[in-house]
Amino acid sequence: MIRYALNCQDGHAFESWFANSTAYDKQAKRGLVTCPICGSAKVEKAIMAPRLSRNEDIAVPALPMPPIPQPPSPAAAKAPVAIMSPPERELRKKLKELREHVTKNADYVGPRFPEQARKIHYGETEHRSIYGEASPDEAKALHEEGIEFHPLPILPDEFN
Ligand SMILES: [Zn+2]
């Protein structure tokens, strides 16, 4: 016995059992294979492989692809830029002041920031203001340890 997936001329899909493939061919030729939905004898074997028809394209619209994060390339490094209206300029001025205040009053520890932040947090060294660099992973780890820190506002160079 062999099972065929069949389509009639109206596109109804159904399945039918045959003794073998020759039996199907014979019965189909004699009009004995009929669609159970509309009774049409014009049936053909359905293509079993996934089929792309226009209807299916409409029924299953392609999902929008999430943006692929671009790895930073030093050669084509682009800085974020913005056009700012007066309220943003005012805010930016404050951010700049904050940044200047921090950089003036805090110790720069560079890439040792995570290590120094932990020492301060766990009381291994005196509490003081520091600033430096942390990778996203390091920042996440610090955050998970309950260490409070803030990203320094980054300002476009051309405005400094
Ligand atoms: Zn039919």
Side-chain angles (χ1 to χ4, degrees):
M1 294 290 279
I2 187 166
R3 188 179 61 170
Y4 281 135
L6 304 166
N7 283 335
C8 82
Q9 61 180 358
D10 287 339
H12 301 131
F14 58 99
E15 286 180 348
S16 204
W17 287 92
F18 301 92
N20 49 50
S21 62
T22 325
Y24 164 79
D25 289 339
K26 278 183 188 166
Q27 290 180 43
K29 239 177 232 174
R30 290 164 62 193
L32 297 174
V33 183
T34 56
C35 170
I37 298 151
C38 67
S40 167
K42 291 194 176 174
V43 300
E44 59 182 18
K45 276 183 270 186
I47 298 156
M48 295 307 281
R51 218 158 51 116
L52 284 180
S53 74
R54 274 184 193 172
N55 285 343
E56 279 162 359
D57 284 346
I58 292 161
V60 188
L63 292 173
M65 292 293 290
I68 298 158
Q70 299 291 326
S73 148
K78 285 187 181 174
V81 288
I83 291 171
M84 288 182 281
S85 53
E88 282 85 36
R89 282 176 186 274
E90 189 56 34
L91 177 65
R92 191 194 166 277
K93 206 177 136 217
K94 290 206 173 78
L95 287 177
K96 194 180 176 193
E97 282 168 6
L98 169 70
R99 193 188 168 89
E100 281 173 357
H101 180 83
V102 170
T103 54
K104 215 175 277 176
N105 295 284
D107 290 337
Y108 178 69
V109 294
R112 289 184 301 118
F113 180 84
E115 171 200 327
Q116 293 296 313
R118 280 196 181 89
K119 280 189 177 168
I120 291 167
H121 182 74
Y122 295 112
E124 290 168 30
T125 184
E126 56 168 324
H127 198 287
R128 69 192 204 278
S129 295
I130 58 167
Y131 72 105
E133 289 102 37
S135 73
D137 282 349
E138 288 167 340
K140 191 169 171 266
L142 290 174
H143 181 74
E144 280 167 0
E145 284 176 51
I147 297 168
E148 204 182 319
F149 62 97
H150 306 277
L152 270 186
I154 295 162
L155 303 168
D157 286 343
E158 61 263 45
F159 287 101
N160 284 342

